[in-house]
């Protein structure tokens, strides 16, 4: 067996303590004899949620030898709240121990730079691999098999039950509901995400009329359908074949619902997640999607907030096709023509009363943005980028939100924003350019529905719908501004080396059959930070030149590598795509580093 680098694993510490352990505090010693996979995640991050799903099979197959440990490392201030972490662990059905690390202590000890990052620790307590981003489950599974054989032979492998202790289940008709629509009969149809189903509620917003879906995670059509964490809902025009279209998020699919009998059909998506290189248009049932989070009828099509790839897509029911409508897959806040704009986990959609504008809650940039029907240009109304957020009212150019998930157009043409991580309902008035606060003390609002002069808010973390009277005068709250907690990397101006570290998994090689198998895209905020080196190329190492006229900024790095089975006897080799986006805050100093290594897969 090939030798591998080993580094003693630092201790696991976090001020928030442990979840899913029955109240027991754990240390690395408790994992000795097991293969331990640390999953550095934060619950706002769609890529982290993808990895949670990728790890479920590994977790089940190797439950007597492998322990997965979630290390929750917050980006947003709200994510440092312990109860919010408790809610997220329940919401996403995390079935392994989780360390709540609000101060990023363990993150720093393991020199992590990106969400998500996976670190593999062998049974003797040494780090043997690190992987950033998505698409690494197969590589880790192969490494686990090697480690099982190696340490079984050495006598250092300990089999048996893990350390997971299930929490008490949450009772109630709703469990972390996502979004809702008001039906023609006055009832509400709610995406009951935590119960993997849809629920029709009476006009009071509480009484259950019926449930569509049996509550078991799955992708099943017909009159006994199954969903997987559905989120967005939209009514389709009268005369359509279906009454409601559903963004079935974790199934990476759009589903059509006939209310007459509760039957469901899959309209778009294959059930597989979209990866770089996959088709971006074509017959809807043949094209992969990626975590569709919301849907809206706009300009004669169903527009999709495709959170998993930071884009907006469109589904044409008449033609039965899907296509990319806006966004490049690069994560960030860039306005302009639809094909050139950047988004960051768009999660909420609403159409203006005149049908001329699609409003977008762009969650990771804490922004309210829009698309013009006529020009298809993307504009930002509120928000500045990936790293600045808070609760600040006033002129839109300086106002702040915190990870909003929903938008609702109000009767006067203004826009209500479900400002999720601020537990608030905010209002943007396009006429005055002002942002105000409509309501506070709403627990993780994820969407809202108008009912006459009231607004019904989906309080996701309180598992309920809450009806509020729209105030005649909006309030202003005391200004609070935040910046992501990650410390900036001190770098020197001038020549600067960027290296993305990638080692193909055991038994695989870089796939060069159809051209370069790697891709590196580099940009910066502000753009002036990079004198040279921006753009895309196939090499994973690049020399940049950093400006001495910029004090601080963010380097945006996106890397992709494709690897395939390295065995000439295999007629149809299995291939995998590994990819990750980094946003690295940097500070220019005279004695700063001149090299930045980012681990995609392997060891630096």
């Amino acid at each position: 067996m090939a030798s591998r680098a080993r580094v003693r694993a630092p201790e696991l510490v976090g001020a928030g303590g442990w979840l899913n352990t029955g109240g027991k505090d754990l240390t690395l010693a408790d994992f000795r004899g097991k293969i331990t996979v640390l999953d550095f995640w934060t619950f706002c991050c769609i890529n982290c949620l993808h990895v949670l799903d990728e790890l479920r099979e590994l977790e089940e197959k190797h439950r007597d030898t492998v322990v997965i440990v979630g290390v929750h490392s917050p980006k947003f201030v709200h994510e440092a709240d312990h109860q919010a972490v408790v809610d997220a662990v329940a919401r996403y059905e995390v079935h392994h121990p989780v360390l709540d690390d609000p101060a990023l202590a363990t993150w720093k000890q393991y020199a992590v730079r990106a969400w998500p990052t996976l670190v593999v620790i062998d049974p003797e307590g040494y780090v043997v691999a690190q992987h950033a981003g998505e698409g690494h489950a197969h590589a880790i599974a192969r490494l686990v098999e090697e480690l099982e054989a190696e340490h079984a032979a050495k006598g250092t492998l300990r089999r048996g039950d893990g350390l997971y202790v299930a929490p008490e289940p949450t009772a109630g008709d709703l469990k972390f509901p996502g979004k809702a629509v008001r039906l023609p009969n006055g009832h509400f149809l709610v995406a009951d995400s935590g119960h993997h189903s849809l629920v029709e509620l009476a006009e009071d917003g509480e009484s259950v009329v019926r449930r569509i879906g049996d509550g078991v995670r799955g992708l099943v059509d017909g009159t006994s359908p199954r969903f997987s964490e559905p989120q967005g809902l939209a009514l389709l025009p009268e005369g359509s074949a279906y009454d409601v279209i559903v963004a079935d998020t974790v199934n990476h699919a759009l589903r059509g619902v006939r209310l007459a009998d509760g039957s469901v059909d899959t309209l778009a998506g294959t059930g597989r997640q979209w990866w770089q290189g996959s088709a971006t248009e074509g017959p809807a049932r043949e094209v992969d999607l990626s975590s569709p989070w919301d849907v809206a009828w706009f300009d004669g099509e169903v527009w999709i907030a495709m959170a998993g790839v930071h884009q907006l897509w469109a589904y044409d029911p008449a033609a039965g096709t899907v296509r990319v409508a806006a966004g490049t897959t690069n994560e960030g806040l860039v306005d302009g023509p639809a094909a050139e704009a950047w988004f960051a986990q768009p999660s909420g959609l609403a159409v203006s009363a005149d049908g001329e504008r699609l409003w977008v809650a762009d969650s990771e940039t804490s922004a309210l943005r829009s698309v013009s029907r006529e020009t298809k240009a993307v504009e930002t109304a509120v928000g500045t980028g990936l790293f600045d957020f808070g609760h600040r009212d006033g002129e839109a150019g300086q106002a702040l939100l915190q990870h909003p998930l929903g938008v609702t157009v109000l009767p006067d043409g203004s826009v209500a924003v479900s400002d999720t991580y601020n537990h608030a309902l905010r209002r943007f008035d396009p006429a005055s350019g002002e942002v105000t606060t409509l309501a506070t003390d709403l627990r993780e609002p994820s969407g809202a529905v108008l009912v006459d002069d009231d607004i019904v808010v989906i309080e996701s973390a309180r598992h309920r719908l809450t009806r509020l009277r729209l105030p005649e005068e909006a309030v202003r709250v005391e200004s609070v501004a935040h910046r992501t907690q990650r410390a900036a990397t001190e770098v020197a101006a001038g020549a600067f080396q960027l290296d993305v570290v990638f080692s193909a998994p055991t038994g695989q090689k870089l796939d060069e059959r159809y051209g370069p198998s790697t891709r590196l895209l580099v940009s910066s905020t502000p753009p002036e930070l990079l004198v040279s080196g921006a753009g895309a190329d196939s090499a994973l190492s690049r020399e940049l030149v950093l400006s001495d006229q910029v004090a601080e900024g963010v380097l945006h790095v996106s890397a992709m590598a494709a690897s395939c089975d390295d065995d000439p006897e295999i007629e149809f080799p299995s291939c995998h795509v590994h990819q990750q986006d980094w946003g690295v805050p940097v500070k220019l100093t005279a004695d700063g580093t001149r090299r930045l290594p980012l681990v995609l897969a392997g060891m630096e």
Side-chain angles (χ1 to χ4, degrees), residues 316-377:
D316 183 342
T321 58
V322 292
R323 62 180 176 86
V324 174
T328 65
T329 76
N330 297 325
E331 184 179 15
L333 192 153
V334 176
D335 289 341
E340 301 172 13
W342 292 21
F343 295 90
Q345 273 179 236
S347 301
L349 302 174
V351 181
S352 61
D354 61 6
E356 291 299 313
R357 190 166 296 276
L358 179 70
W359 293 100
V360 182
D362 201 30
S363 62
E364 278 293 288
T365 54
S366 297
L368 174 63
R369 307 177 73 187
S370 68
V371 181
S372 163
R373 186 192 66 80
E374 181 179 356
T375 66
K376 297 301 185 292

Side-chain angles (χ1 to χ4, degrees), residues 279-481:
T280 56
E281 61 180 347
R285 289 296 307 274
E286 299 175 15
V287 177
D288 300 336
L289 308 182
S290 183
S291 299
W293 208 275
D294 202 7
V295 282
W297 183 260
F298 177 61
D299 197 22
E301 296 178 293
V302 175
W303 281 54
I304 310 161
M306 201 71 78
V309 287
H310 317 300
Q311 290 178 312
L312 304 180
W313 285 43
Y315 164 64
D316 183 342
T321 58
V322 292
R323 62 180 176 86
V324 174
T328 65
T329 76
N330 297 325
E331 184 179 15
L333 192 153
V334 176
D335 289 341
E340 301 172 13
W342 292 21
F343 295 90
Q345 273 179 236
S347 301
L349 302 174
V351 181
S352 61
D354 61 6
E356 291 299 313
R357 190 166 296 276
L358 179 70
W359 293 100
V360 182
D362 201 30
S363 62
E364 278 293 288
T365 54
S366 297
L368 174 63
R369 307 177 73 187
S370 68
V371 181
S372 163
R373 186 192 66 80
E374 181 179 356
T375 66
K376 297 301 185 292
V378 177
E379 300 176 1
T380 297
V382 183
T384 60
L386 286 165
F387 299 98
D388 293 289
F389 51 90
H391 192 148
R392 179 192 287 157
D393 288 327
E395 191 273 322
Q398 56 84 52
L400 294 173
L401 309 169
Q402 186 179 182
H403 198 80
L405 291 180
V407 280
T408 307
V409 174
L410 299 179
D412 63 358
S414 63
V415 181
V417 180
S418 294
D419 194 8
T420 310
Y421 287 3
N422 279 327
H423 309 299
L425 191 66
R426 311 286 292 285
R427 174 180 179 265
F428 167 67
D429 183 357
S432 67
E434 291 286 310
V435 175
T436 51
T437 297
L438 296 173
T440 57
D441 193 31
L442 299 167
R443 189 71 183 174
E444 293 190 12
S446 56
V449 181
L450 278 178
V451 180
D452 302 323
D453 294 327
D454 295 346
I455 190 165
V456 175
V457 180
I458 298 94
E459 285 196 87
S460 191
R462 284 197 177 118
H463 318 290
R464 72 186 189 191
L465 273 57
T466 299
R467 187 162 179 155
L468 305 171
R469 173 69 62 175
L470 282 171
E472 294 184 8
E473 290 289 334
V475 300
R476 287 179 181 265
V477 301
E478 185 176 349
S479 176
V480 178

